[in-house]
Amino acid sequence: MNIEHDSFPVRRRGRPCKHAADLGETRELLLRTGVELLTEQGFSATGIDQILRRVGVPKGSFYNYFKSKEAFGAELIERYRVYFLRKLERHLGNAALSPLARLQAFIADAQHGMQKFDFSRGCLAGNLGQEMGTLPETFRAQLNAVFADWQDRLARNFEVARAVGEIAENADCLRLAAFFWIGWEGAVMRAKLEKSVAPLEIFADGFFASVARR
Amino acid sequence: MNIEHDSFPVRRRGRPCKHAADLGETRELLLRTGVELLTEQGFSATGIDQILRRVGVPKGSFYNYFKSKEAFGAELIERYRVYFLRKLERHLGNAALSPLARLQAFIADAQHGMQKFDFSRGCLAGNLGQEMGTLPETFRAQLNAVFADWQDRLARNFEVARAVGEIAENADCLRLAAFFWIGWEGAVMRAKLEKSVAPLEIFADGFFASVARR
């Protein structure tokens, strides 16, 4: 669940004009910058101020763009969910590969993405999940829904794998998908900590060993 | 890597006396409170001020107890390492159980521990690993050493499992141990997020399916 930032370009800006189009553009920049910083350092360490400063928006005008800090955070989670699901779909929807090879392609892409940013960027949902103890309680259901969404999508891929005989006939696809995402978040954290793809590889190898058809 | 807090009792205190014994006691309380808060909410969300406030130490006197915030953080990591290793040893050193059953006993203990605190407490090393992007760079090597330590200990347990035929003869014990801790951190995070032991169970089942002797 690392995020690649060529899809979130961040330009530094002066104080925004008050025209509706500019308001919209600044709002968009705040969201992109927010997603970027939250994949790097989570919510607590970032703070709204840092996001505003980076975009060049004066502190007092935050509420021109968002109803509340909580509403801003909720939009950041939703935006990441959509971004990440699109990335996942690109791999899992690749009919040229077998179902398990599609997951492997996603993993290779994630490894490449983390390397590209020198392992500074992880998963927004994982970062916020770790911090949940100090975040608005409404984020909990939203983050759980994000993981459930990814899990459902991967479970459908495993159902195809089962149908074509890549995994055992009696495999519990939803549980396998849950297992994958649970461990994957741990792997992304360790890859950031070690600044190495090794944790992603070790987890992927272990995972495929457990699903391999006996 | 959840932490059970009966072993870290926290009493609220008034302003400490300046006698050496009291200084030592207050220092100890700061360390215990620090470990407690860091297992709940990590470093960024906690801040030194919250720890001082909880123990009742005036902000200005922090440097009577620790050289720097970084030195304090380093002591917290070390203290957690020792605490956790002792817990792990208690299970992995239990000669009454088979090697894999020892790991299962550790997992059951961790589930119980997380439940007991309503899933508010996770793993200090996992929390800080997730936050590494904003922490002093010296913490990185220290946290990696903590994981390496746990990994070595678990690898030795798997070597015994291999010798007695619980896992395959050609199993790579160090890699299996790495796989376990990588995924386990993800499971602890999800258990906190979901307020449920299910992620710990799902990860453990998946893990044992991958090590089971073919």
Side-chain angles (χ1 to χ4, degrees):
Chain A
M1 269 152 285
N2 62 306
I3 189 160
E4 294 178 21
H5 280 273
D6 32 14
S7 52
F8 287 111
V10 175
R11 289 157 289 164
R12 280 159 211 277
R13 296 257 145 185
R15 180 177 289 239
C17 303
K18 289 296 174 211
H19 299 110
D22 285 341
L23 272 176
E25 202 189 339
T26 302
R27 192 175 191 284
E28 178 63 25
L29 271 175
L30 288 169
L31 287 168
R32 289 183 180 196
T33 307
V35 168
E36 176 181 278
L37 286 172
L38 262 56
T39 59
E40 285 183 12
Q41 53 192 39
F43 208 83
S44 303
T46 301
I48 304 289
D49 292 358
Q50 190 183 351
I51 298 168
L52 293 171
R53 224 168 25 242
R54 191 175 284 199
V55 178
V57 170
K59 209 168 155 180
S61 65
F62 173 75
Y63 295 98
N64 294 341
Y65 303 101
F66 301 96
K67 204 175 63 191
S68 64
K69 288 182 184 180
E70 190 172 334
F72 181 52
E75 276 205 55
L76 295 178
I77 296 170
E78 172 58 15
R79 179 164 282 233
Y80 187 76
R81 186 190 68 79
V82 170
Y83 156 79
F84 188 80
L85 198 62
R86 199 159 43 215
K87 183 193 189 79
L88 190 62
E89 279 300 331
R90 197 168 64 236
H91 292 293
L92 299 187
N94 180 359
L97 298 176
S98 81
L100 290 190
R102 292 172 205 162
L103 179 58
Q104 276 161 331
F106 159 77
I107 292 167
D109 184 3
Q111 289 179 346
H112 175 73
M114 289 196 76
Q115 241 167 345
K116 189 166 150 191
F117 292 97
D118 194 27
F119 302 96
S120 63
R121 289 171 185 165
C123 173
L124 185 145
N127 287 347
L128 270 58
Q130 193 73 278
E131 295 179 274
M132 194 54 230
T134 57
L135 300 182
E137 195 53 37
T138 53
F139 288 5
R140 190 185 302 276
Q142 199 185 355
L143 290 167
N144 277 323
V146 169
F147 285 120
D149 203 7
W150 298 345
Q151 185 175 312
D152 285 346
R153 187 56 191 88
L154 186 58
R156 289 204 301 280
N157 188 62
F158 287 143
E159 282 163 15
V160 183
R162 190 173 59 188
V164 301
E166 269 197 311
I167 61 176
E169 278 162 38
N170 62 351
D172 181 336
C173 294
L174 197 61
R175 199 168 171 94
L176 273 184
F179 175 47
F180 181 81
W181 292 119
I182 286 168
W184 182 251
E185 283 297 332
V188 169
M189 185 276 279
R190 287 290 290 281
K192 270 169 69 185
L193 181 63
E194 293 184 16
K195 287 186 169 282
S196 156
V197 294
L200 301 173
E201 287 170 353
I202 291 168
F203 176 73
D205 286 356
F207 178 79
F208 285 110
S210 83
V211 301
R213 204 161 181 205
R214 304 289 164 88
Chain B
M1 271 151 283
N2 61 305
I3 190 160
E4 293 178 24
H5 281 273
D6 32 13
S7 51
F8 287 110
V10 174
R11 289 158 288 163
R12 279 159 210 277
R13 296 255 144 186
R15 181 176 289 237
C17 304
K18 291 296 173 212
H19 300 108
D22 285 343
L23 272 176
E25 203 190 335
T26 302
R27 192 175 190 283
E28 178 62 24
L29 270 175
L30 289 169
L31 287 168
R32 288 182 180 196
T33 306
V35 168
E36 177 180 278
L37 286 172
L38 263 55
T39 59
E40 285 183 13
Q41 53 192 40
F43 207 84
S44 303
T46 303
I48 305 290
D49 292 359
Q50 191 183 350
I51 298 169
L52 294 171
R53 225 170 22 244
R54 191 174 284 199
V55 177
V57 170
K59 208 169 156 180
S61 65
F62 173 75
Y63 296 98
N64 295 341
Y65 303 100
F66 301 96
K67 205 176 62 191
S68 64
K69 289 183 182 178
E70 192 172 332
F72 180 51
E75 276 205 55
L76 295 177
I77 296 170
E78 173 57 14
R79 178 164 283 235
Y80 187 78
R81 184 190 71 78
V82 170
Y83 155 79
F84 188 79
L85 199 61
R86 200 158 43 215
K87 183 192 190 78
L88 191 62
E89 279 299 330
R90 198 168 63 234
H91 292 292
L92 300 187
N94 180 359
L97 298 176
S98 81
L100 291 190
R102 292 171 205 164
L103 180 59
Q104 275 160 332
F106 159 78
I107 292 167
D109 184 5
Q111 288 179 348
H112 175 74
M114 290 196 75
Q115 242 166 345
K116 188 166 150 190
F117 293 98
D118 194 28
F119 301 96
S120 63
R121 289 171 185 166
C123 171
L124 185 146
N127 288 347
L128 269 56
Q130 193 73 277
E131 296 180 273
M132 195 52 232
T134 57
L135 300 181
E137 194 54 35
T138 53
F139 288 5
R140 190 185 302 277
Q142 199 185 354
L143 290 167
N144 277 322
V146 170
F147 285 121
D149 203 7
W150 298 344
Q151 186 174 314
D152 284 347
R153 186 58 192 85
L154 186 57
R156 288 203 302 279
N157 188 62
F158 287 143
E159 282 164 14
V160 183
R162 190 174 58 188
V164 300
E166 270 197 311
I167 61 177
E169 278 163 39
N170 63 351
D172 181 336
C173 294
L174 196 62
R175 200 169 171 93
L176 273 184
F179 175 47
F180 180 82
W181 292 119
I182 287 168
W184 181 252
E185 283 297 332
V188 169
M189 184 278 278
R190 286 290 290 281
K192 271 170 67 184
L193 181 63
E194 294 183 15
K195 287 184 169 282
S196 157
V197 295
L200 301 173
E201 287 170 353
I202 291 168
F203 176 72
D205 287 356
F207 178 79
F208 285 109
S210 84
V211 300
R213 206 162 179 204
R214 303 293 163 87

